[in-house]
Amino acid sequence: MLAGAVVLMLAGCSAGDSVSSAVPATAFKPGSTRGDDPYFPAHGNGGYDVRDYRLKLAFNPATGRLDGTATITATATQDLSRLSLDLTGLTVSSITIDGQPAPSTTSGGKVTMTLPTGIRHGRSFTASLRYSGRPAATHEGGWRTSKDFSYVLSAPTSAASWFPANDKPSDKASFAVEVTVPKGLTVISNGSLRGRADQHGRTTWRWHEPTPMAPHLAYVAIGKYRLATTTHRGKPVITAVPPSMPAKVLARTGEIADWFEGLFGAYPFDSYGGVVVDDPQFSTTAATQTRPLYGAQTLTGEPSNTTAVVARAVASQWFGASVTPQRWPDIWLSEGFATYAQWLWTEHDGGDSVESVVQQRYSTYPWQVLRATDPGAGHLLSSGPYDRGAMTLHALRRLIGDEVFFQLLRSWAAEHAHGTATTAQFVRAAEKASGQRLNDFFDVWLSGAYRPTY
C-alpha cells in the first residue's frame, strides 16, 4: 500500500482496555485528517496527542532502501472511531493497534484500518506500523543520499518522508531512534547516544531524545564521520564532521551556549553538539533539536562568520526547539529570535554592534513586500521572519529598555519551555513585562506595509 497518509479506522465499540461498553457507538467520531496550520493543512491530524515515537530503521545505502517499524504511543483527545498519521512515498505492510492486527485498505491517498472497537477520550493506545521503500527528497527537504552520505531534513513537512508522524509543530513527543547500517558508517540523531552494537557486518546505533520534540526537528545523518564526544557542564557534547574538515569548527559550541544561558536562562536540553554535512546542495543550517545540521559551506569562511553561524544554531535550541511556534505563520518566534541572538553574539565576540547591523538592514529592507509574521508559505525562509523579526526585537528593546527586555526573553523561554507559543502570546507577555500597550507597535514592525519609525 503506497500511502500519502496512514488512516486507522475503528468501528463501533466493545468492552476492553481502551473502550468502555458504557459509551455508545455513535459517540465515537473520526479524528480530523487535516492539521490546524493554514500553510500546510494537509499535514497533521486531530483526535489524539502523540507522547512517544520509537523508530527501528534499517538503511541500505547501496540501494537506498529503508525498512522501518514505528511504534507510536498516543492519547485520544476525543472518543475516536478513526485516526490518521502522515506518511509519504513509503509502503505500509502491517499495522496493529495495542497489539491487535488491523486489516487496511487504500483510498484517496489514505491507508484505512478498521477495528472492532473505539478508543475513549483520555485513553492511551499504541500503534505499530511496518513500512519500507526508498525515501526521497522533497521540495523542502526529505531524505537525501549520495555515495558518501545520507541525511534527512524534516522541516517544515518532510518528517513524513521517513516515518509515520502527526506532522505538525504543535504535537511534540519524545523520540527513540534506532538505525542499522553497514559496518563502518556512523549514524547521528537527536538526543543522547544510548549504545551501538556490531553484528554480521552491520552496526546498530541507538539515540534517545526524552524531551518533547516537534516532528520537523527530528533527523538522522549517516556517513563516514569523525565522531567526537566530550562533556560540558556534565552533559555530552557530540559532534560529527566529515574526514575532510577539522573537528574544531564546532569547538565553541559549549562556550556559546554558556553565554546564551546568561541571557536566556538554562540550556534547555541534556546534550549539545552538531553535525556537518558535506553536501554541495545543502548550503544552510537546519536547527534540529540538540544537535544542529550544518552545511559544510556555512563553516568554511572567516572564523568570526563561522562562529556566528554556530551561535545562531545554538540559540535556536531555546527559540525554535524548546519554544516552538505553534503554527508556521509564527515562524518569526524561532527565526527572528535566533537571528537576533546571533547579532548579540557577534557584538559580544568583537564584531559589528547590534545597533549598526539593525541600522543597515532597516535602511534597505523591503518593508512593503516581506512580513515577519504570516509571511506566506513561500516566504518561510525569507528575510521576513529572520531579519525583520530580529529588527522588531531590537526596536522593542529600545522601547522598553534592556532590563525589562532581557527579563522578558528569560521568562518567555522558561514559561514556554518544551512547548509551543504564538505571536499573540508574546505580545501579551511583552505588554505585561513593560506595562505598555504594544499591539500597534507589533502590527507596524511585524507586518506593516510601510517602514516604521525608528
Side-chain angles (χ1 to χ4, degrees), residues 154-179:
S154 295
T157 57
S158 295
S161 70
W162 63 287
F163 68 96
N166 193 17
D167 200 1
K168 60 181 182 180
S170 59
D171 196 356
K172 290 186 166 185
S174 59
F175 276 75
V177 179
E178 176 182 306
V179 186

Side-chain angles (χ1 to χ4, degrees), residues 65 98 391:
R65 180 182 172 87
D98 291 334
M391 285 190 286

Side-chain angles (χ1 to χ4, degrees), residues 285-335:
T285 300
T288 47
Q289 189 159 309
T290 68
R291 195 161 298 105
L293 280 171
Y294 300 92
Q297 300 172 60
T298 67
L299 301 175
T300 55
E302 292 293 326
S304 59
N305 293 335
T306 294
T307 305
V309 169
V310 176
R312 191 189 176 288
V314 172
S316 71
Q317 300 307 303
W318 280 267
F319 307 112
S322 178
V323 184
T324 304
Q326 186 170 308
R327 303 191 310 166
W328 288 107
D330 287 329
I331 190 174
W332 85 278
L333 292 174
S334 58
E335 307 304 349

Side-chain angles (χ1 to χ4, degrees), residues 28 41 63 70 77 81 143 155 166-167 174 208 236 246 273 311 314 409:
F28 292 89
T63 63
T77 57
S81 64
W143 193 283
N166 193 17
D167 200 1
S174 59
H208 184 228
V314 172
L409 295 191

Side-chain angles (χ1 to χ4, degrees), residues 239-299:
T239 59
V241 300
S244 59
M245 294 191 70
K248 66 180 181 180
V249 295
L250 301 177
R252 299 185 71 183
T253 296
E255 174 194 352
I256 294 168
D258 287 350
W259 190 75
F260 282 148
E261 277 199 348
L263 296 181
F264 310 139
Y267 180 75
F269 301 113
D270 293 333
S271 63
Y272 309 82
V275 181
V276 180
V277 177
D278 193 9
D279 178 6
Q281 297 184 41
F282 181 44
S283 58
T284 184
T285 300
T288 47
Q289 189 159 309
T290 68
R291 195 161 298 105
L293 280 171
Y294 300 92
Q297 300 172 60
T298 67
L299 301 175

Side-chain angles (χ1 to χ4, degrees), residues 42 88 120 161 183 204 216 218 235 265 302 319 323 332 341 355 365 390 394 413 450:
T88 57
R120 289 191 61 189
S161 70
K183 190 173 181 179
T204 298
H216 73 269
K235 297 179 179 181
E302 292 293 326
F319 307 112
V323 184
W332 85 278
E355 182 68 21
Y365 189 81
H394 191 65
Y450 300 96

Side-chain angles (χ1 to χ4, degrees), residues 20-313:
S20 170
S21 58
V23 180
T26 55
F28 292 89
K29 304 295 183 184
S32 174
T33 60
R34 295 173 69 82
D36 55 3
D37 193 280
Y39 289 175
F40 307 105
H43 294 263
N45 309 277
Y48 63 91
D49 178 59
V50 178
R51 298 204 317 265
D52 181 66
Y53 291 93
R54 295 189 175 271
L55 309 178
K56 296 184 67 173
L57 310 175
F59 182 66
N60 185 341
T63 63
R65 180 182 172 87
L66 179 72
D67 291 283
T69 299
T71 302
I72 302 167
T73 302
T75 301
T77 57
Q78 66 178 68
D79 290 333
L80 274 174
S81 64
R82 184 176 67 209
L83 60 101
S84 59
L85 290 164
D86 301 302
L87 187 67
T88 57
L90 299 169
T91 301
V92 176
S93 57
S94 68
I95 308 172
T96 64
I97 296 289
D98 291 334
Q100 298 301 311
S104 59
T105 59
T106 61
S107 176
K110 306 288 187 179
V111 179
T112 303
M113 185 183 73
T114 303
L115 294 179
T117 60
I119 300 177
R120 289 191 61 189
H121 183 192
R123 302 294 294 187
S124 176
F125 64 93
T126 299
S128 182
L129 302 91
R130 296 184 63 185
Y131 61 100
S132 61
R134 292 171 57 92
T138 66
H139 176 69
E140 304 91 358
W143 193 283
R144 304 181 178 195
T145 190
S146 79
K147 64 182 181 65
D148 297 321
F149 59 80
S150 296
Y151 66 99
V152 62
L153 301 174
S154 295
T157 57
S158 295
S161 70
W162 63 287
F163 68 96
N166 193 17
D167 200 1
K168 60 181 182 180
S170 59
D171 196 356
K172 290 186 166 185
S174 59
F175 276 75
V177 179
E178 176 182 306
V179 186
T180 300
V181 293
K183 190 173 181 179
L185 296 178
T186 299
V187 179
I188 315 295
S189 189
N190 309 87
S192 299
L193 180 61
R194 290 301 179 87
R196 50 171 290 188
D198 295 325
Q199 188 176 22
H200 306 305
R202 310 187 82 194
T203 304
T204 298
W205 298 77
R206 295 189 298 276
W207 296 87
H208 184 228
E209 174 50 70
T211 308
M213 179 168 69
H216 73 269
L217 298 171
Y219 79 97
V220 293
I222 303 168
K224 292 184 177 181
Y225 287 106
R226 287 192 292 136
L227 188 67
T229 302
T230 58
T231 300
H232 182 75
R233 293 180 175 262
K235 297 179 179 181
V237 183
I238 302 173
T239 59
V241 300
S244 59
M245 294 191 70
K248 66 180 181 180
V249 295
L250 301 177
R252 299 185 71 183
T253 296
E255 174 194 352
I256 294 168
D258 287 350
W259 190 75
F260 282 148
E261 277 199 348
L263 296 181
F264 310 139
Y267 180 75
F269 301 113
D270 293 333
S271 63
Y272 309 82
V275 181
V276 180
V277 177
D278 193 9
D279 178 6
Q281 297 184 41
F282 181 44
S283 58
T284 184
T285 300
T288 47
Q289 189 159 309
T290 68
R291 195 161 298 105
L293 280 171
Y294 300 92
Q297 300 172 60
T298 67
L299 301 175
T300 55
E302 292 293 326
S304 59
N305 293 335
T306 294
T307 305
V309 169
V310 176
R312 191 189 176 288

